[in-house]
């Protein structure tokens, strides 16, 4: 199990931690900026959000504790993310033409834990509308981030995304992170 | 409209198929009756109901089914319907009902073999025609249920070929799935992915063995995977083997795709030879081969591992990839809507790296975020859209027609071709079943 996944397991996922206004604002600003990056398709900035071994993870089941070794809806390291960006923006990514458009709202931001080294576990809710092939579809769920404090600001070591309709059935495929 | 057998037969010519076969709602109903509710249809693997009391829902044509395991470990397949007032019994995809199945409407209780156990206020039936031992008050059983090596099937036809006779050459898929486990057993991993295709079920089957599509449909993914692989190599590292499954789309090229033969077995089953080079000589594969030798002896192990298959189609409902431990089953929902259940299996006794490798493929190709099937699903949807139009009546299956050859009742594609043999083969089987009026074959 990865270090960040272990931290999420060990942390109380209902905990409310007293944090300074500065910390709360910095964490919120990070989450809002991540949503904006997706909405604006700024892919270099997207990759820069993650640590070198960071993962974007959407489990297939609620009881999963780690993305390693089990089926997932998303389980992506930087290499797979780079592959996805290249593939989705390739002129012959047939199903991606015309490109989609996303619009996120992130809310209910609760800092769950602050580690001694300044790392943060934060949970939040999101709603994302996607305009794709001339139709709107909706994604809703929970985020749980393990944010590493670095000299360049926070970086995502692990982002867990629990979609409200996780078990499907899926009458579409998800080609971008939500 | 009502379709006579003659009219149905005219939809399928040796080298082309009429669009109505894919879009007509009455044809779809006849397919449900004469193909899905007649032939052997896949229910599930025994490991889906591992413990006594476990149940799992399935579908045979339009019929909701449930697979259960009783206290003695016996597996049963039953209609998922309460014989009291007809309510569907279970609605969760799976669960455990150790103490029996209980209807949510008036609490009739059933044993896991479908027999009625009891109900509240039973005295109300005293002196009526109700009899707790009468099968009409039990959950109905399909006429025939059988398994091949732990894979369970049901047939709603009273008579017809045995399961093994029906599976014919496609038995190889199940043999390979199980025999590739050094522990000689496999089990499902987690739940399946459920994906809905906005297209006819035959379009899915036809795509599976179509070696002329990957280089085109999956070009963007092949290109992206190849680039990422070479970036990783530049840093002196080895990319995970699963990436190679995607970069193959770019690497192989049209000439390459002609090297993989297709085979058509009796009853509509078909196979495409493997191309992914799953017998490399890296330490993980070597360790796995060593375990296979220990389990089977060298000769038998080599025989098992020498079988190189990419896909096996088990007509009409399965697409299996044995070297990657995957199985997809289809549940048609309408002429233009098809549900797929996509399963991954773990080989008992295999080293973890082999499991991880296949899991990588499962993720990249078959998860709801797939960068591969995304473009397949898109093309199938487009086919459905086009076929629903009056823009033309026929689907062309002409590629290499007349060059396939037959040996001992088995069809083989011409060497160095991307023959549309499997498509022609399946449609000929379709014609036979559809004009046999549900009498099996
Ligand atoms: S319908 Fe099932 S108990 Fe009445
Ligand atoms: Fe494909």
């Amino acid at each position: 199990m990865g270090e960040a996944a272990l931290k999420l397991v060990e942390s109380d996922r209902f905990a409310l931690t007293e944090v300074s206004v500065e910390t709360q604002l910095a964490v919120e600003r990070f989450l809002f900026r991540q949503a904006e990056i997706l909405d604006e398709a700024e892919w270099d900035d997207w990759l820069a959000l993650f640590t070198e071994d960071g993962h974007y993870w959407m489990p297939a089941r609620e009881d999963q504790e780690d993305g390693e070794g089990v089926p997932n809806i998303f389980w992506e390291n930087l290499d797979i993310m780079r592959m996805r960006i290249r593939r989705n923006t390739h002129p012959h990514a047939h199903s991606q033409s015309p490109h989609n458009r996303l619009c996120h709202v992130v809310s209910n931001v609760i800092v769950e834990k602050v580690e001694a080294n300044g790392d943060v576990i934060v949970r939040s809710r999101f709603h994302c509308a996607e305009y794709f092939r001339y139709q709107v579809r909706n994604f809703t769920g929970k985020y749980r981030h393990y944010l590493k404090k670095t000299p360049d600001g926070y970086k995502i070591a692990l982002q867990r995304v629990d979609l409200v309709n996780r078990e499907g059935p899926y009458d579409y495929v998800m080609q971008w992170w939500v | 409209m009502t379709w006579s057998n003659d009219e149905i037969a005219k939809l399928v010519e040796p080298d082309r198929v009429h669009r109505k076969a894919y879009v007509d709602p009455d044809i779809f109903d006849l397919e449900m009756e004469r193909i899905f509710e007649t032939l052997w249809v896949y229910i599930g693997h025994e490991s889906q109901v591992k413990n006594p009391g476990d149940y799992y829902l399935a579908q045979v044509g339009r019929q909701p089914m449930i697979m259960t395991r009783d206290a003695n470990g016996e597996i049963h397949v039953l209609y998922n319907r309460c014989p009291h007032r007809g309510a569907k019994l279970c609605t969760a995809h799976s669960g455990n009902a150790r103490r029996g199945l209980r209807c949510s409407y008036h609490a009739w209780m059933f044993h896991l073999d479908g027999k009625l156990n009891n109900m509240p206020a039973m005295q109300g039936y005293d002196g009526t025609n109700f009899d707790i031992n009468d099968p009409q008050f039990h959950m109905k059983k399909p006429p025939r249920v059988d398994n091949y090596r732990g894979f369970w099937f049901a047939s709603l036809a009273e008579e017809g070929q045995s399961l093994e006779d029906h599976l014919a050459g496609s038995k190889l898929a199940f043999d390979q799935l199980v025999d590739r486990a050094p522990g000689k057993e496999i089990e499902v991993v987690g739940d399946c992915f459920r994906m809905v295709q906005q297209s006819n079920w035959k379009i899915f089957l036809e795509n599976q063995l179509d070696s002329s599509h990957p280089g085109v449909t999956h070009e963007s993914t092949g290109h992206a995977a190849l680039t990422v692989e070479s970036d990783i190599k530049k840093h002196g590292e080895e990319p995970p083997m699963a990436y190679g499954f995607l970069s193959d789309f770019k690497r192989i090229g049209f000439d390459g795709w002609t090297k993989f033969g297709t085979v058509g077995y009796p009853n509509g089953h078909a196979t495409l030879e493997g191309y992914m080079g799953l017998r490399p000589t890296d330490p993980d594969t070597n360790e796995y081969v060593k375990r296979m030798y220990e389990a089977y002896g060298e000769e038998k192990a080599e025989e098992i591992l020498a079988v190189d298959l990419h896909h096996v189609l088990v007509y009409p409902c399965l697409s299996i990839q044995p070297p990657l431990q995957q199985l997809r089953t289809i549940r048609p929902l309408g002429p233009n809507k098809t549900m797929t259940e996509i399963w991954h299996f773990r080989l008992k006794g295999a080293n973890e790296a082999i499991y991880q490798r296949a899991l990588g493929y499962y993720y990249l190709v078959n998860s709801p975020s797939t960068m591969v099937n995304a473009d397949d699903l898109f093309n199938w949807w487009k086919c459905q859209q086009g076929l629903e139009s009056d823009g033309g009546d026929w689907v062309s299956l002409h590629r290499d027609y007349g060059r396939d050859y037959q040996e001992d009742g088995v069809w083989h594609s011409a060497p160095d071709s991307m023959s549309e043999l499997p498509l022609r083969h399946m449609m000929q089987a379709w014609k036979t079943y559809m004009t046999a009026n549900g009498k099996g074959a």
Side-chain angles (χ1 to χ4, degrees):
Chain A
M1 182 180 270
E3 190 197 328
L6 192 62
K7 296 270 188 197
L8 287 193
V9 171
E10 285 169 355
S11 168
D12 171 5
R13 66 192 178 95
F14 299 113
L16 298 166
T17 296
E18 288 293 333
V19 291
S20 66
V21 172
E22 287 74 23
T23 304
Q24 177 75 22
L25 282 178
V27 168
E28 286 187 1
R29 210 158 35 229
F30 182 88
L31 298 181
F32 297 162
R33 175 62 188 151
Q34 184 187 18
E36 183 177 66
I37 285 170
L38 278 175
D39 292 350
E40 304 299 338
E42 296 173 286
W43 303 124
D44 290 338
D45 287 8
W46 171 265
L47 295 170
L49 290 172
F50 290 81
T51 63
E52 271 308 301
D53 55 358
H55 278 82
Y56 177 92
W57 175 33
M58 190 185 286
R61 299 162 62 121
E62 187 176 18
D63 61 3
Q64 275 171 228
E65 296 190 328
D66 190 9
E68 203 66 63
V70 290
N72 297 289
I73 298 165
F74 279 96
W75 177 244
E76 311 219 332
N77 59 17
L78 282 175
D79 284 333
I80 300 184
M81 290 190 220
R82 285 191 193 102
M83 196 189 297
R84 186 175 291 282
I85 292 167
R86 275 190 183 277
R87 169 249 171 329
N88 286 1
T89 55
H90 189 281
H92 290 171
H94 312 290
S95 62
Q96 299 311 298
S97 167
H99 277 295
N100 72 343
R101 203 177 295 144
L102 298 175
C103 188
H104 279 78
V105 177
V106 178
S107 183
N108 308 18
V109 180
I110 297 176
V111 175
E112 182 175 304
K113 193 173 183 187
V114 183
E115 305 275 350
N117 62 6
D119 293 358
V120 166
I121 298 178
V122 54
R123 55 183 196 268
S124 57
R125 298 291 188 270
F126 71 93
H127 179 89
C128 169
E130 183 189 41
Y131 183 59
F132 182 60
R133 241 175 259 158
Y134 309 111
Q135 287 184 340
V136 175
R137 56 191 197 191
N138 291 289
F139 302 95
T140 304
K142 303 190 257 194
Y143 290 149
R144 205 156 164 240
H145 285 74
Y146 188 93
L147 300 178
K148 261 214 143 356
K149 182 136 187 160
T150 79
D152 303 328
Y154 290 124
K155 297 268 182 196
I156 301 170
L158 182 64
Q159 177 178 6
R160 176 176 172 140
V161 183
D162 280 275
L163 215 55
V164 74
N165 55 321
R166 181 177 36 217
E167 290 85 0
Y170 287 83
D171 62 357
Y172 46 76
V173 278
M174 303 173 74
Q175 291 297 277
W176 287 110
W177 310 285
V178 294
Chain B
M1 71 178 266
T2 48
W3 289 83
S4 72
N5 284 353
D6 278 351
E7 287 163 334
I8 294 172
K10 285 203 185 93
L11 296 176
V12 182
E13 294 183 8
D15 54 9
R16 59 178 196 167
V17 180
H18 196 279
R19 69 178 190 90
K20 288 262 161 90
Y22 301 88
V23 301
D24 187 277
D26 298 311
I27 287 286
F28 180 80
D29 285 343
L30 288 173
E31 288 178 332
M32 292 304 98
E33 194 180 299
R34 296 177 184 180
I35 296 179
F36 282 85
E37 294 174 11
T38 298
L39 301 184
W40 289 97
V41 162
Y42 184 61
I43 298 288
H45 186 254
E46 60 185 9
S47 61
Q48 286 169 241
V49 287
K50 213 166 155 182
N51 303 307
D54 282 355
Y55 66 84
Y56 213 98
L57 302 193
Q59 185 90 14
V60 174
R62 296 157 296 191
Q63 312 303 320
M65 295 285 166
I66 179 166
M67 172 166 67
T68 65
R69 190 185 286 270
D70 70 19
N72 302 322
E74 297 280 314
I75 289 178
H76 304 274
V77 177
L78 307 158
Y79 280 82
N80 184 14
R81 175 192 184 273
C82 175
H84 176 218
R85 296 251 289 273
K88 202 177 206 180
L89 261 170
C90 297
T91 49
H93 286 140
S94 61
N96 184 279
R98 222 192 161 105
R99 288 164 43 217
L101 301 164
R102 180 179 187 268
C103 182
S104 61
Y105 201 176
H106 315 95
W108 282 28
M109 292 281 303
F110 301 89
H111 294 291
L112 289 153
D113 63 1
K115 289 207 183 79
L116 181 57
N117 179 6
N118 66 45
M119 70 196 44
M122 209 189 293
Q123 64 278 12
Y125 290 98
D126 287 351
T128 70
N129 281 335
F130 171 87
D131 172 2
I132 196 167
N133 296 314
D134 182 341
Q136 70 165 301
F137 302 110
H138 300 172
M139 291 168 73
K140 185 173 161 180
K141 293 187 172 170
R144 296 185 299 158
V145 173
D146 201 356
N147 84 94
Y148 181 70
R149 304 203 66 179
F151 297 87
W152 286 80
F153 291 76
S155 161
L156 305 189
E158 297 285 346
E159 284 163 34
Q161 282 185 318
S162 69
L163 175 61
E164 285 206 35
D165 287 348
H166 169 72
L167 293 177
S170 72
K171 279 197 293 192
L172 189 60
F174 307 103
D175 291 337
Q176 278 280 302
L177 272 175
V178 181
D179 291 345
R180 282 175 171 262
K184 303 185 181 179
E185 259 183 59
I186 59 171
E187 69 179 6
V188 292
V189 178
D191 199 358
C192 59
F193 289 131
R194 291 184 179 79
M195 309 271 290
V196 179
Q197 305 168 355
Q198 313 292 344
S199 46
N200 188 268
W201 62 277
K202 296 189 290 302
I203 292 177
F204 168 72
L205 294 189
E206 289 168 357
N207 171 265
Q208 298 304 293
L209 309 185
D210 174 5
S211 57
S212 66
H213 94 279
V216 182
T217 299
H218 306 303
E219 181 194 346
S220 61
T221 306
H223 183 267
L226 206 57
T227 312
V228 169
E229 279 182 328
S230 78
D231 286 349
I232 294 174
K233 282 180 193 152
K234 264 183 227 145
H235 290 101
E237 284 163 45
E238 253 320 289
M241 225 176 104
Y243 295 6
F245 302 150
L246 305 194
S247 52
D248 274 349
F249 298 133
K250 181 74 182 170
R251 200 168 14 237
I252 290 177
F254 272 110
D255 268 356
W257 289 109
T258 64
K259 302 295 176 248
F260 314 111
T262 48
V263 174
Y265 291 105
N267 298 339
H269 314 304
T271 61
L272 168 66
E273 276 174 9
Y275 61 82
M276 290 178 161
L278 291 167
R279 191 70 193 279
T281 50
D282 61 291
D284 294 331
T285 310
N286 291 346
E287 165 65 21
Y288 166 67
V289 172
K290 193 178 124 230
R291 292 184 190 201
M292 285 292 284
Y293 280 12
E294 281 162 14
Y296 290 97
E298 184 173 336
E299 197 182 329
K300 176 76 181 156
E302 282 298 335
E303 198 182 295
I304 293 164
L305 295 172
V307 178
D308 194 11
L309 291 169
H310 184 60
H311 274 295
V312 181
L313 281 188
V314 184
Y315 201 82
C317 60
L318 286 166
S319 163
I320 300 177
Q321 288 180 277
L324 292 157
Q325 293 99 54
Q326 272 166 72
L327 175 152
R328 285 187 276 186
T329 189
I330 52 168
R331 315 286 189 202
L333 303 175
N336 57 2
K337 229 182 193 359
T338 307
M339 171 74 84
T340 40
E341 291 175 10
I342 311 173
W343 289 99
H344 183 58
F345 292 89
R346 187 191 277 275
L347 301 174
K348 291 200 180 159
N351 37 329
E352 187 66 13
I354 296 299
Y355 165 72
Q356 294 276 0
R357 184 182 292 175
L359 189 69
Y361 181 86
Y362 184 61
Y363 173 65
L364 290 169
V365 176
N366 280 316
S367 78
S369 68
T370 168
M371 289 181 258
V372 178
N373 283 345
D375 291 324
D376 287 319
L377 288 156
F378 176 64
N379 281 332
W380 307 339
W381 168 74
K382 281 174 53 180
C383 283
Q384 193 70 26
Q385 300 279 303
L387 291 170
E388 280 169 7
S389 81
D390 291 329
D393 280 338
W394 295 94
V395 174
S396 158
L397 310 179
H398 292 84
R399 189 195 281 276
D400 288 297
Y401 175 65
R403 288 193 274 274
D404 311 326
Y405 63 98
Q406 204 184 13
E407 252 175 32
D408 305 324
V410 174
W411 282 95
H412 299 267
S413 57
D416 300 320
S417 73
M418 293 185 285
S419 176
E420 282 168 339
L421 162 106
L423 288 71
R424 294 187 285 270
H425 185 71
M426 283 192 280
M427 284 317 295
Q428 289 304 321
W430 184 88
K431 181 156 102 176
T432 306
Y433 294 129
M434 286 292 281
T435 54
N437 294 15
K439 297 287 188 299

